[in-house]
CSV table of all heavy atoms in Angstrom, one decimal:
chain,number,residue,atom,x,y,z
A,1238,ASN,N,-6.8,-33.2,-41.1
A,1238,ASN,CA,-7.7,-33.8,-42.0
A,1238,ASN,C,-7.1,-34.8,-43.0
A,1238,ASN,O,-7.5,-35.9,-43.2
A,1238,ASN,CB,-8.5,-32.8,-42.8
A,1238,ASN,CG,-10.0,-32.7,-42.2
A,1238,ASN,OD1,-10.4,-33.6,-41.5
A,1238,ASN,ND2,-10.6,-31.5,-42.4
A,1239,PRO,N,-6.0,-34.4,-43.7
A,1239,PRO,CA,-5.3,-35.3,-44.7
A,1239,PRO,C,-4.5,-36.4,-44.0
A,1239,PRO,O,-4.1,-37.4,-44.7
A,1239,PRO,CB,-4.4,-34.4,-45.5
A,1239,PRO,CG,-4.8,-33.0,-45.1
A,1239,PRO,CD,-5.3,-33.1,-43.7
A,1240,VAL,N,-4.2,-36.3,-42.7
A,1240,VAL,CA,-3.3,-37.3,-42.1
A,1240,VAL,C,-4.0,-38.6,-42.0
A,1240,VAL,O,-3.4,-39.7,-42.3
A,1240,VAL,CB,-2.9,-36.8,-40.7
A,1240,VAL,CG1,-2.1,-37.8,-39.9
A,1240,VAL,CG2,-2.1,-35.5,-40.8
A,1241,LEU,N,-5.3,-38.6,-41.6
A,1241,LEU,CA,-6.0,-39.9,-41.4
A,1241,LEU,C,-6.1,-40.7,-42.7
A,1241,LEU,O,-5.8,-41.9,-42.7
A,1241,LEU,CB,-7.4,-39.6,-40.7
A,1241,LEU,CG,-8.1,-40.8,-40.2
A,1241,LEU,CD1,-7.3,-41.6,-39.2
A,1241,LEU,CD2,-9.4,-40.4,-39.6
A,1242,PRO,N,-6.6,-40.1,-43.8
A,1242,PRO,CA,-6.6,-40.8,-45.0
A,1242,PRO,C,-5.3,-41.2,-45.6
A,1242,PRO,O,-5.1,-42.2,-46.2
A,1242,PRO,CB,-7.4,-39.9,-46.0
A,1242,PRO,CG,-7.3,-38.6,-45.4
A,1242,PRO,CD,-7.2,-38.7,-43.9
A,1243,SER,N,-4.2,-40.5,-45.2
A,1243,SER,CA,-2.9,-40.8,-45.6
A,1243,SER,C,-2.5,-42.1,-44.9
A,1243,SER,O,-1.9,-43.0,-45.5
A,1243,SER,CB,-1.9,-39.7,-45.2
A,1243,SER,OG,-2.2,-38.5,-45.9
A,1244,LEU,N,-2.8,-42.2,-43.6
A,1244,LEU,CA,-2.5,-43.4,-42.8
A,1244,LEU,C,-3.3,-44.6,-43.4
A,1244,LEU,O,-2.7,-45.7,-43.5
A,1244,LEU,CB,-2.8,-43.2,-41.4
A,1244,LEU,CG,-1.8,-42.3,-40.6
A,1244,LEU,CD1,-2.4,-42.0,-39.2
A,1244,LEU,CD2,-0.5,-42.9,-40.5
A,1245,TRP,N,-4.5,-44.4,-43.8
A,1245,TRP,CA,-5.3,-45.4,-44.3
A,1245,TRP,C,-4.8,-45.9,-45.6
A,1245,TRP,O,-4.7,-47.2,-45.9
A,1245,TRP,CB,-6.8,-45.0,-44.5
A,1245,TRP,CG,-7.6,-46.0,-45.3
A,1245,TRP,CD1,-8.2,-45.9,-46.5
A,1245,TRP,CD2,-7.9,-47.3,-44.8
A,1245,TRP,NE1,-8.8,-47.0,-46.8
A,1245,TRP,CE2,-8.7,-47.9,-45.8
A,1245,TRP,CE3,-7.7,-48.0,-43.7
A,1245,TRP,CZ2,-9.2,-49.2,-45.7
A,1245,TRP,CZ3,-8.1,-49.3,-43.5
A,1245,TRP,CH2,-8.9,-49.9,-44.6
A,1246,LEU,N,-4.3,-45.0,-46.5
A,1246,LEU,CA,-3.7,-45.4,-47.7
A,1246,LEU,C,-2.4,-46.3,-47.5
A,1246,LEU,O,-2.2,-47.3,-48.2
A,1246,LEU,CB,-3.3,-44.2,-48.6
A,1246,LEU,CG,-2.6,-44.5,-49.9
A,1246,LEU,CD1,-3.4,-45.3,-50.8
A,1246,LEU,CD2,-2.2,-43.1,-50.6
A,1247,LEU,N,-1.6,-46.0,-46.5
A,1247,LEU,CA,-0.4,-46.8,-46.1
A,1247,LEU,C,-0.9,-48.1,-45.6
A,1247,LEU,O,-0.3,-49.2,-45.9
A,1247,LEU,CB,0.4,-46.0,-45.1
A,1247,LEU,CG,1.1,-44.7,-45.6
A,1247,LEU,CD1,1.7,-44.0,-44.4
A,1247,LEU,CD2,2.2,-45.0,-46.6
A,1248,TYR,N,-1.9,-48.1,-44.8
A,1248,TYR,CA,-2.4,-49.4,-44.2
A,1248,TYR,C,-2.9,-50.3,-45.3
A,1248,TYR,O,-2.6,-51.5,-45.3
A,1248,TYR,CB,-3.5,-49.1,-43.2
A,1248,TYR,CG,-4.1,-50.3,-42.4
A,1248,TYR,CD1,-3.5,-50.7,-41.2
A,1248,TYR,CD2,-5.2,-51.0,-42.9
A,1248,TYR,CE1,-4.0,-51.7,-40.5
A,1248,TYR,CE2,-5.6,-52.1,-42.2
A,1248,TYR,CZ,-5.1,-52.4,-41.0
A,1248,TYR,OH,-5.5,-53.5,-40.3
A,1249,ALA,N,-3.7,-49.7,-46.2
A,1249,ALA,CA,-4.3,-50.5,-47.3
A,1249,ALA,C,-3.1,-51.1,-48.2
A,1249,ALA,O,-3.2,-52.2,-48.6
A,1249,ALA,CB,-5.2,-49.7,-48.2
A,1250,HIS,N,-2.1,-50.2,-48.5
A,1250,HIS,CA,-1.0,-50.7,-49.3
A,1250,HIS,C,-0.3,-51.8,-48.7
A,1250,HIS,O,0.1,-52.8,-49.3
A,1250,HIS,CB,0.0,-49.5,-49.5
A,1250,HIS,CG,1.1,-49.7,-50.5
A,1250,HIS,ND1,2.2,-50.5,-50.2
A,1250,HIS,CD2,1.2,-49.4,-51.8
A,1250,HIS,CE1,3.0,-50.5,-51.3
A,1250,HIS,NE2,2.4,-49.9,-52.3
A,1251,TYR,N,-0.1,-51.8,-47.3
A,1251,TYR,CA,0.6,-52.8,-46.6
A,1251,TYR,C,-0.2,-54.1,-46.6
A,1251,TYR,O,0.3,-55.2,-46.7
A,1251,TYR,CB,1.0,-52.4,-45.2
A,1251,TYR,CG,1.9,-53.4,-44.5
A,1251,TYR,CD1,3.2,-53.5,-44.8
A,1251,TYR,CD2,1.3,-54.3,-43.5
A,1251,TYR,CE1,4.0,-54.4,-44.2
A,1251,TYR,CE2,2.1,-55.2,-42.9
A,1251,TYR,CZ,3.5,-55.3,-43.2
A,1251,TYR,OH,4.3,-56.2,-42.6
A,1252,GLN,N,-1.5,-54.0,-46.5
A,1252,GLN,CA,-2.4,-55.2,-46.5
A,1252,GLN,C,-2.4,-55.9,-47.9
A,1252,GLN,O,-2.5,-57.1,-48.0
A,1252,GLN,CB,-3.8,-54.8,-46.2
A,1252,GLN,CG,-4.1,-54.4,-44.7
A,1252,GLN,CD,-3.9,-55.6,-43.8
A,1252,GLN,OE1,-4.1,-56.7,-44.2
A,1252,GLN,NE2,-3.5,-55.3,-42.6
A,1253,VAL,N,-2.1,-55.1,-48.9
A,1253,VAL,CA,-2.1,-55.6,-50.3
A,1253,VAL,C,-0.8,-56.3,-50.6
A,1253,VAL,O,-0.7,-57.5,-51.1
A,1253,VAL,CB,-2.4,-54.6,-51.3
A,1253,VAL,CG1,-2.1,-55.1,-52.8
A,1253,VAL,CG2,-3.8,-54.1,-51.2
A,1254,PHE,N,0.3,-55.6,-50.3
A,1254,PHE,CA,1.7,-56.1,-50.7
A,1254,PHE,C,2.5,-56.7,-49.6
A,1254,PHE,O,3.5,-57.4,-49.9
A,1254,PHE,CB,2.4,-55.0,-51.4
A,1254,PHE,CG,1.7,-54.4,-52.6
A,1254,PHE,CD1,1.2,-53.1,-52.6
A,1254,PHE,CD2,1.6,-55.2,-53.8
A,1254,PHE,CE1,0.5,-52.6,-53.7
A,1254,PHE,CE2,1.0,-54.7,-54.9
A,1254,PHE,CZ,0.4,-53.4,-54.9
A,1255,HIS,N,2.3,-56.3,-48.3
A,1255,HIS,CA,3.1,-56.8,-47.2
A,1255,HIS,C,4.5,-56.5,-47.4
A,1255,HIS,O,5.4,-57.4,-47.0
A,1255,HIS,CB,2.8,-58.3,-46.9
A,1255,HIS,CG,1.4,-58.6,-46.5
A,1255,HIS,ND1,1.0,-58.3,-45.2
A,1255,HIS,CD2,0.4,-59.1,-47.1
A,1255,HIS,CE1,-0.2,-58.7,-45.0
A,1255,HIS,NE2,-0.7,-59.2,-46.2
A,1256,GLU,N,4.9,-55.4,-47.9
A,1256,GLU,CA,6.3,-55.0,-48.2
A,1256,GLU,C,6.6,-53.6,-47.6
A,1256,GLU,O,6.0,-52.7,-48.1
A,1256,GLU,CB,6.7,-55.1,-49.6
A,1256,GLU,CG,6.6,-56.5,-50.2
A,1256,GLU,CD,7.0,-56.5,-51.7
A,1256,GLU,OE1,7.8,-55.6,-52.1
A,1256,GLU,OE2,6.6,-57.4,-52.4
A,1257,GLU,N,7.4,-53.6,-46.6
A,1257,GLU,CA,7.7,-52.3,-45.9
A,1257,GLU,C,8.4,-51.3,-46.9
A,1257,GLU,O,8.1,-50.1,-47.0
A,1257,GLU,CB,8.5,-52.5,-44.6
A,1257,GLU,CG,7.7,-53.1,-43.5
A,1257,GLU,CD,8.4,-53.0,-42.2
A,1257,GLU,OE1,9.2,-52.0,-42.0
A,1257,GLU,OE2,8.2,-53.9,-41.3
A,1258,ARG,N,9.4,-51.9,-47.6
A,1258,ARG,CA,10.2,-51.0,-48.5
A,1258,ARG,C,9.3,-50.4,-49.6
A,1258,ARG,O,9.4,-49.2,-49.9
A,1258,ARG,CB,11.3,-51.8,-49.1
A,1258,ARG,CG,12.4,-52.3,-48.2
A,1258,ARG,CD,13.5,-53.0,-48.9
A,1258,ARG,NE,14.5,-53.5,-48.0
A,1258,ARG,CZ,15.6,-54.2,-48.3
A,1258,ARG,NH1,15.7,-54.5,-49.6
A,1258,ARG,NH2,16.5,-54.6,-47.4
A,1259,ARG,N,8.4,-51.2,-50.1
A,1259,ARG,CA,7.5,-50.7,-51.2
A,1259,ARG,C,6.6,-49.7,-50.6
A,1259,ARG,O,6.3,-48.7,-51.3
A,1259,ARG,CB,6.8,-51.9,-51.8
A,1259,ARG,CG,6.0,-51.5,-53.0
A,1259,ARG,CD,5.5,-52.8,-53.7
A,1259,ARG,NE,4.7,-52.5,-54.9
A,1259,ARG,CZ,4.2,-53.4,-55.7
A,1259,ARG,NH1,4.4,-54.7,-55.4
A,1259,ARG,NH2,3.5,-53.1,-56.7
A,1260,MET,N,6.1,-49.9,-49.4
A,1260,MET,CA,5.1,-49.0,-48.8
A,1260,MET,C,5.8,-47.6,-48.5
A,1260,MET,O,5.2,-46.6,-48.6
A,1260,MET,CB,4.5,-49.6,-47.6
A,1260,MET,CG,3.4,-48.8,-46.9
A,1260,MET,SD,3.3,-49.0,-45.2
A,1260,MET,CE,4.8,-48.1,-44.6
A,1261,LYS,N,7.1,-47.7,-48.0
A,1261,LYS,CA,7.8,-46.5,-47.6
A,1261,LYS,C,8.0,-45.5,-48.7
A,1261,LYS,O,8.2,-44.3,-48.5
A,1261,LYS,CB,9.1,-46.9,-47.0
A,1261,LYS,CG,9.0,-47.5,-45.6
A,1261,LYS,CD,10.3,-47.9,-45.0
A,1261,LYS,CE,10.1,-48.5,-43.6
A,1261,LYS,NZ,11.4,-49.0,-43.0
A,1262,LYS,N,7.9,-46.0,-50.0
A,1262,LYS,CA,8.0,-45.1,-51.1
A,1262,LYS,C,6.8,-44.1,-51.1
A,1262,LYS,O,6.9,-43.0,-51.8
A,1262,LYS,CB,8.0,-45.8,-52.4
A,1262,LYS,CG,9.3,-46.7,-52.6
A,1262,LYS,CD,9.3,-47.4,-53.9
A,1262,LYS,CE,10.6,-48.3,-54.1
A,1262,LYS,NZ,10.6,-49.0,-55.3
A,1263,LEU,N,5.7,-44.5,-50.5
A,1263,LEU,CA,4.5,-43.6,-50.4
A,1263,LEU,C,4.6,-42.5,-49.4
A,1263,LEU,O,3.9,-41.5,-49.4
A,1263,LEU,CB,3.3,-44.4,-50.2
A,1263,LEU,CG,2.6,-45.2,-51.3
A,1263,LEU,CD1,1.4,-46.0,-50.8
A,1263,LEU,CD2,2.0,-44.2,-52.3
A,1264,ILE,N,5.5,-42.8,-48.4
A,1264,ILE,CA,5.5,-41.9,-47.2
A,1264,ILE,C,5.9,-40.5,-47.6
A,1264,ILE,O,5.3,-39.5,-47.2
A,1264,ILE,CB,6.5,-42.5,-46.2
A,1264,ILE,CG1,5.9,-43.8,-45.6
A,1264,ILE,CG2,6.7,-41.4,-45.0
A,1264,ILE,CD1,6.8,-44.4,-44.6
A,1265,PHE,N,7.0,-40.3,-48.4
A,1265,PHE,CA,7.4,-38.9,-48.7
A,1265,PHE,C,6.4,-38.1,-49.5
A,1265,PHE,O,6.2,-36.9,-49.2
A,1265,PHE,CB,8.8,-39.0,-49.4
A,1265,PHE,CG,9.9,-39.5,-48.5
A,1265,PHE,CD1,10.5,-40.8,-48.7
A,1265,PHE,CD2,10.4,-38.7,-47.5
A,1265,PHE,CE1,11.5,-41.2,-47.9
A,1265,PHE,CE2,11.4,-39.2,-46.7
A,1265,PHE,CZ,11.9,-40.4,-46.8
A,1266,PRO,N,5.8,-38.7,-50.6
A,1266,PRO,CA,4.7,-37.9,-51.2
A,1266,PRO,C,3.6,-37.5,-50.3
A,1266,PRO,O,3.0,-36.4,-50.4
A,1266,PRO,CB,4.2,-38.9,-52.3
A,1266,PRO,CG,5.4,-39.8,-52.6
A,1266,PRO,CD,6.1,-40.0,-51.2
A,1267,LEU,N,3.2,-38.4,-49.4
A,1267,LEU,CA,2.2,-38.1,-48.5
A,1267,LEU,C,2.6,-37.0,-47.5
A,1267,LEU,O,1.8,-36.2,-47.1
A,1267,LEU,CB,1.7,-39.4,-47.7
A,1267,LEU,CG,1.0,-40.4,-48.6
A,1267,LEU,CD1,0.8,-41.7,-47.8
A,1267,LEU,CD2,-0.3,-39.9,-49.1
A,1268,ILE,N,3.8,-37.1,-47.0
A,1268,ILE,CA,4.3,-36.0,-46.2
A,1268,ILE,C,4.3,-34.7,-46.9
A,1268,ILE,O,3.9,-33.6,-46.3
A,1268,ILE,CB,5.8,-36.3,-45.7
A,1268,ILE,CG1,5.8,-37.5,-44.7
A,1268,ILE,CG2,6.4,-35.1,-45.0
A,1268,ILE,CD1,7.2,-38.0,-44.3
A,1269,ALA,N,4.7,-34.7,-48.2
A,1269,ALA,CA,4.7,-33.5,-49.0
A,1269,ALA,C,3.3,-32.9,-49.1
A,1269,ALA,O,3.0,-31.7,-49.0
A,1269,ALA,CB,5.3,-33.7,-50.4
A,1270,LEU,N,2.3,-33.8,-49.4
A,1270,LEU,CA,0.9,-33.4,-49.5
A,1270,LEU,C,0.4,-32.8,-48.2
A,1270,LEU,O,-0.2,-31.7,-48.2
A,1270,LEU,CB,0.1,-34.6,-49.8
A,1270,LEU,CG,-1.4,-34.4,-50.0
A,1270,LEU,CD1,-1.7,-33.5,-51.2
A,1270,LEU,CD2,-2.2,-35.7,-50.1
A,1271,ASN,N,0.7,-33.4,-47.1
A,1271,ASN,CA,0.3,-32.8,-45.8
A,1271,ASN,C,1.0,-31.5,-45.5
A,1271,ASN,O,0.4,-30.6,-44.8
A,1271,ASN,CB,0.5,-33.9,-44.7
A,1271,ASN,CG,-0.5,-34.9,-44.6
A,1271,ASN,OD1,-1.5,-34.8,-43.9
A,1271,ASN,ND2,-0.3,-36.0,-45.4
A,1272,ALA,N,2.3,-31.4,-45.9
A,1272,ALA,CA,3.0,-30.2,-45.7
A,1272,ALA,C,2.4,-29.0,-46.5
A,1272,ALA,O,2.3,-27.9,-46.0
A,1272,ALA,CB,4.5,-30.4,-46.1
A,1273,VAL,N,2.0,-29.3,-47.7
A,1273,VAL,CA,1.3,-28.3,-48.6
A,1273,VAL,C,0.0,-27.8,-47.9
A,1273,VAL,O,-0.3,-26.6,-47.8
A,1273,VAL,CB,1.0,-28.8,-50.0
A,1273,VAL,CG1,0.1,-27.9,-50.8
A,1273,VAL,CG2,2.3,-29.0,-50.7
């Protein structure tokens, strides 16, 4: 359930900034959230 909105947040972030490095900073918090 949290995986799909997590991917959408990453997709939206990339559409806004178009920067992979900046977007990748979101990945670890989202992984932690899904792990919890």
